[in-house]
Amino acid sequence: MSKIRITKKFTFEAGHALYGYDGKCKNLHGHSYKLSVTVIGEPITDTSHVKLGMVMDFGDLKRIVKKDIEDVFDHATIFNKNTPHLELAQELEKRGHHVILVDYQPSTENMIIDFADKIKAKLPENIKLYSLKLQETETSYAEWYASDNGE
């Protein structure tokens, strides 16, 4: 049977600041992120299966990414909790803002690694994460490929 890749796209708005960075991104700022999620598998061949011919129902993939990434990160401010930004995060939270504290510098590169781990943990056994593309602007993005990561 042929292996087929399917891709679903998601969007969310989020703010972040890169502590210690030597450019403008050290300042609190936001992006309209675009996330493309590609999984790979074989289309279902069981003629009695309700999802005959599908690798994975796009709706099932949407539920995974929406619950663990899109709904969590949308309109949040992301800070590395191991920096002095923790004080700013606590102040924002006191004022009712949605803040996410992560164990890493919240660059697009590190966010995509985090997202890959979250998605892989929820995929059905027969479906593998093939790639992710996280776009922070129209001209800047990071990509994650399973093949580059020994998977």
Side-chain angles (χ1 to χ4, degrees), residues 1-6 38-43 53 55 127-128:
M1 178 54 86
S2 296
K3 294 272 187 184
I4 303 295
R5 295 177 225 152
I6 62 167
T38 301
V39 298
I40 188 167
E42 295 179 358
V55 169
I127 305 297
K128 300 296 179 210

Side-chain angles (χ1 to χ4, degrees), residues 53-110:
M54 295 181 182
V55 169
M56 179 180 190
D57 189 318
F58 283 111
D60 293 339
L61 183 55
K62 179 180 179 179
R63 274 186 284 285
I64 291 168
V65 177
K66 185 170 175 33
K67 180 177 184 259
D68 290 346
I69 297 169
E70 192 175 39
D71 287 350
V72 174
F73 285 84
D74 190 39
H75 284 83
T77 304
I78 309 154
F79 291 112
N80 180 340
K81 70 180 180 183
N82 302 308
T83 70
H85 280 153
L86 182 60
E87 294 172 27
L88 177 56
Q90 291 167 340
E91 183 61 32
L92 288 170
E93 284 180 320
K94 278 188 221 170
R95 295 172 183 255
H97 291 265
H98 177 43
V99 175
I100 297 173
L101 297 173
V102 294
D103 288 333
Y104 54 81
Q105 178 82 306
S107 64
T108 300
E109 295 89 338
N110 283 331

Side-chain angles (χ1 to χ4, degrees), residues 6-32:
I6 62 167
T7 301
K8 183 113 181 104
K9 294 182 177 186
F10 303 87
T11 60
F12 61 94
E13 311 293 325
H16 69 159
L18 302 179
Y19 182 76
Y21 182 66
D22 63 352
K24 290 181 181 181
C25 292
K26 68 181 176 188
N27 298 304
L28 184 58
H29 65 286
H31 296 288
S32 295

